């Protein structure tokens, strides 16, 4: 997969995610305005996710950490979001 193909796949994934969360198409710009997205060369891991907790608490915006590897056709995604006055982290990984 080329770099352009990888970027297009991730962009399409986020457009689909924005539609899924909002129930409407065409709201990708609004999604981008409300969620920080980080594309990374490394897979999300608990320690890395916790390092972003203070940023999320300061901005109030959740952060999605996305990693696309050649071995996994589905992006690995980490989420940091506010819950109950603190931050929580979550990670979804591909089981290839």
């Amino acid at each position: 997969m080329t770099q352009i193909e990888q970027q297009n796949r991730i962009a399409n994934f986020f457009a689909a995610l924005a539609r899924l969360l909002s129930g409407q198409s065409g709201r990708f710009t609004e999604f981008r305005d409300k969620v920080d997205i980080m594309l990374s060369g490394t897979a999300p891991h608990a320690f890395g996710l916790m390092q972003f907790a203070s940023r999320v608490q300061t901005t109030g915006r959740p952060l999605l950490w996305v990693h696309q590897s050649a071995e996994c056709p589905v992006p690995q995604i980490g989420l940091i979001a506010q819950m109950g006055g603190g931050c929580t982290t979550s990670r979804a990984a591909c089981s290839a």
Side-chain angles (χ1 to χ4, degrees):
M1 178 181 325
T2 68
Q3 183 80 11
I4 297 296
E5 290 172 331
Q6 184 176 6
Q7 290 173 355
N8 284 336
R9 178 178 276 182
I10 291 171
N12 289 337
F13 175 78
F14 280 121
L17 181 61
R19 181 176 181 162
L20 177 68
L21 294 176
S22 68
Q24 299 175 7
S25 61
R27 296 187 68 183
F28 183 68
T29 302
E30 182 181 351
F31 177 76
R32 284 279 308 157
D33 289 343
K34 293 183 178 179
V35 177
D36 289 331
I37 298 172
M38 179 179 77
L39 301 177
S40 176
T42 60
H45 50 84
F47 181 70
L49 292 169
M50 292 304 295
Q51 290 180 319
F52 288 99
S54 63
R55 174 182 170 171
V56 170
Q57 287 180 324
T58 301
T59 65
R61 293 167 50 125
L63 176 92
L64 289 174
W65 174 342
V66 181
H67 169 70
Q68 176 80 52
S69 69
E71 301 82 34
C72 182
V74 177
Q76 296 179 39
I77 300 171
L79 168 68
I80 305 106
Q82 289 186 330
M83 284 187 69
C87 279
T88 187
T89 63
S90 180
R91 181 171 93 58
C94 176
S95 55

